[in-house]
Amino acid sequence: MLTVHHLKQSQSDRIIWLCEELGTPYELKSYTREPSMAAPPEYRALSAFGTAPVITDGDLVLGESGAIVEYICARHGGSALVPAPEDPDFPDYLFWFHFANGSLVPGLMVDHVTATLGAPASPGPSRSIRAFAMIESRLGDAPWFAGDAFTAADIMLCLPRFAARLDLTDSPNTRAYLDRVAARPAWQRTETLR
Ligand SMILES: N[C@@H](CCC(=O)N[C@@H](CS)C(=O)NCC(=O)O)C(=O)O
């Protein structure tokens, strides 16, 4: 049985959402963060690096969001949510899947640290401003990040996690996308569990 070890207020939302979208049976174990926002000791003990998300599947313990999403899609997802390599949407799928944790999340962290330290910012728009401008532009071209179909790239980006922090006044495409996500029954179930 697949077990999703969910740290509340964390990127492990994605894994619940993925299982709900796929209809994969799973057990959910939820953990609350420490007042410092660190994962509690029992969560840190689950895996070598100690961060969320983590899944267990039989004897397997697996961390790192991207690895977990790929593992569940490959082992439990059939051909759902991942375009085939010959699909014209495949390169966009790869780009947005990896943009999530490769550039968007680090960009948000760089901007947060820069602002917190009062450090001089690099010239021009910050990484997160550029990332959300790219996202707005992409969602003007396609309903989902990879193209016409909802895929695991949408789950990796997990835009609803960031929506509350964003000023979307001038981002109609992102607002419309968030409405599409909110209408998905699997996201609605995720909202009640995360
Ligand atoms: N790249 C990692 C990032 C993991 C990560 O930083 N997780 C955060 C939650 S979003 C965490 O575990 N924070 C609590 C802690 O470090 O104690 C992944 O996507 O799995």
Side-chain angles (χ1 to χ4, degrees):
M1 168 64 93
L2 184 67
T3 300
V4 177
H5 297 270
H6 172 53
L7 179 65
K8 291 188 177 171
Q9 299 173 270
S10 86
Q11 304 185 49
S12 56
D13 290 352
R14 291 165 168 157
I15 312 305
I16 301 174
W17 190 14
L18 176 65
C19 291
E20 292 293 335
E21 291 282 353
L22 290 171
T24 304
Y26 68 103
E27 181 189 2
L28 181 63
K29 287 195 179 164
S30 292
Y31 304 71
T32 303
R33 287 183 187 256
E34 305 268 272
S36 66
M37 293 303 279
E42 62 271 27
Y43 200 98
R44 277 182 269 145
L46 288 170
S47 66
F49 200 45
T51 56
V54 171
I55 60 163
T56 47
D57 193 13
D59 291 336
L60 173 75
V61 179
L62 187 64
E64 202 62 40
S65 303
I68 294 171
V69 170
E70 287 201 49
Y71 171 88
I72 292 176
C73 286
R75 288 266 174 98
H76 297 276
S79 55
L81 302 188
V82 181
E86 57 276 14
D87 188 319
D89 290 340
F90 186 61
D92 280 323
Y93 168 77
L94 289 179
F95 175 82
W96 289 105
F97 186 105
H98 290 283
F99 186 76
N101 269 16
S103 293
L104 174 62
V105 172
L108 288 165
M109 290 169 80
V110 167
D111 290 358
H112 176 71
V113 169
T114 304
T116 305
L117 295 178
S122 312
S126 72
R127 283 181 179 226
S128 61
I129 288 173
R130 280 168 14 228
F132 286 114
M134 280 173 59
I135 285 170
E136 173 66 12
S137 171
R138 173 60 179 160
L139 295 174
D141 294 338
W144 304 105
F145 280 100
D148 287 336
F150 179 90
T151 67
D154 296 279
I155 288 174
M156 279 301 289
L157 281 150
C158 202
L159 229 49
R161 281 199 70 226
F162 307 110
R165 296 189 231 158
L166 300 176
D167 176 2
L168 297 175
T169 314
D170 297 325
S171 305
N173 301 327
T174 305
R175 287 202 311 273
Y177 173 86
L178 289 167
D179 288 345
R180 285 192 289 281
V181 170
R184 296 184 75 82
W187 175 255
Q188 291 162 9
R189 289 193 295 278
T190 303
E191 284 270 57
T192 67
L193 298 169
R194 72 197 184 111

